[in-house]
Amino acid sequence: MVEPGIAQIIAEIRNTVTGELTGRSQVVDHLLDLRLAGSDQRLVTATVDRLLARLPGQSTVSNAWFLDALSEIERAAAAALTH
């Protein structure tokens, strides 16, 4: 189970992901939104910070990477709730 706010944001983001690539700035914006939503969960902020530090691409990001990142944040949020 994931905190409802984070789960809703992730669901909304997933609905906007189409094609093979997303603009890097849009990915950064989404990750920062998730960081803010999970600011009271240290594991979520640490996960988002690590993903931001390893963000691939100069101007675009592979949607496969982005969707994997969203799943990783989702797992971190679920783990944060169980601890």
Side-chain angles (χ1 to χ4, degrees):
M1 177 155 190
V2 178
E3 191 269 316
I6 292 174
Q8 181 179 351
I9 293 170
I10 290 174
E12 290 171 3
I13 293 170
R14 280 189 177 127
N15 286 334
T16 67
V17 177
T18 59
E20 292 183 30
L21 301 171
T22 297
R24 192 174 197 271
S25 61
Q26 185 177 9
V27 171
V28 169
D29 287 345
H30 287 313
L31 292 176
L32 290 174
D33 288 343
L34 287 165
R35 189 182 195 286
L36 181 61
S39 63
D40 60 337
Q41 299 175 15
R42 188 170 179 259
L43 187 55
V44 171
T45 58
T47 300
V48 173
D49 288 347
R50 186 178 44 73
L51 291 166
L52 285 167
R54 296 178 180 172
L55 189 65
Q58 297 274 334
S59 59
T60 58
V61 175
S62 157
N63 282 338
W65 183 94
F66 187 30
L67 292 171
D68 285 345
L70 293 175
S71 294
E72 193 169 335
I73 295 166
E74 203 167 39
R75 287 189 300 272
L81 285 180
T82 61
H83 288 94

